[in-house]
Each structure stands twice: as structure tokens, then as C-alpha cells.
Amino acid sequence: MRSVDLNNKQVLEKLFADDFASPIFPILAEMYLQENDLRRASMVCSIGLENSPHNVNGQYVQALVLIEEKNYKNAKKILTRIVLQNPL
């Protein structure tokens, strides 16, 4: 198994483009979020969660994007759902 450079956005973009259900999508979305590219972060979360709806990390990053967009109501819904699914 080959290792993946999780700090290389181009590598992560390629992996995500090849497999929208790839578990790396929250990492890529968080990179976009850190760059303040909310549109791309939101798009990656939406696509990733459509293909992997139970990915808690993806849900969390999606909530962070919503907070940045000042959409507190929907962010709270997601965060509440995460806590209910995984109380730890």
C-alpha cells in the first residue's frame, strides 16, 4: 500500500476526483476551508457526503463551513446529529 501526502492538495484533489466516496474528502474540504474557499469546501463536503453519508469527519467539516457562512441553524443541526450518532 502506498502512502499519500495528506498535505498535497493536488494529490488529494486527484484522489477525490477518482473516487467521490474516498475517506480523504474531509481533509481536502478542510484545506479549502483554511484557504477561505468556502464554495469549494462546501462542494467537496456535499459531494463526499452524498457518496459517504456516514462520514462523521465530513459532517463536522460541513458544519464548520456553515459556521463560516454564518448559517448557525444548519450547523447546529449537523453538530447535534454528530453527537447523537457518536456521543464520545
Side-chain angles (χ1 to χ4, degrees):
M1 182 171 166
R2 67 182 172 103
S3 65
V4 175
D5 182 0
L6 297 178
N7 295 310
N8 187 325
K9 184 169 60 173
Q10 289 76 25
V11 168
L12 296 177
E13 288 171 336
K14 169 95 172 84
L15 288 171
F16 182 65
D18 290 345
D19 178 10
F20 291 140
S22 172
I24 60 89
F25 82 86
I27 299 168
L28 178 59
E30 190 167 10
M31 268 187 191
Y32 287 135
L33 182 60
Q34 290 173 356
E35 295 172 352
N36 206 33
D37 191 343
L38 299 178
R39 184 186 65 79
R40 280 196 172 100
S42 179
M43 181 179 63
V44 167
C45 285
S46 294
I47 293 169
L49 288 169
E50 185 177 303
N51 290 281
S52 185
H54 302 293
N55 186 308
V56 176
N57 295 325
Q59 293 174 30
Y60 180 72
V61 175
Q62 183 181 43
L64 294 178
V65 170
L66 291 169
I67 289 169
E68 286 297 316
E69 295 174 338
K70 302 197 182 338
N71 187 341
Y72 303 117
K73 183 179 178 181
N74 286 331
K76 182 180 177 182
K77 285 180 186 178
I78 292 169
L79 293 171
T80 301
R81 184 175 56 230
I82 290 170
V83 171
L84 291 173
Q85 290 174 359
N86 188 0
L88 294 177

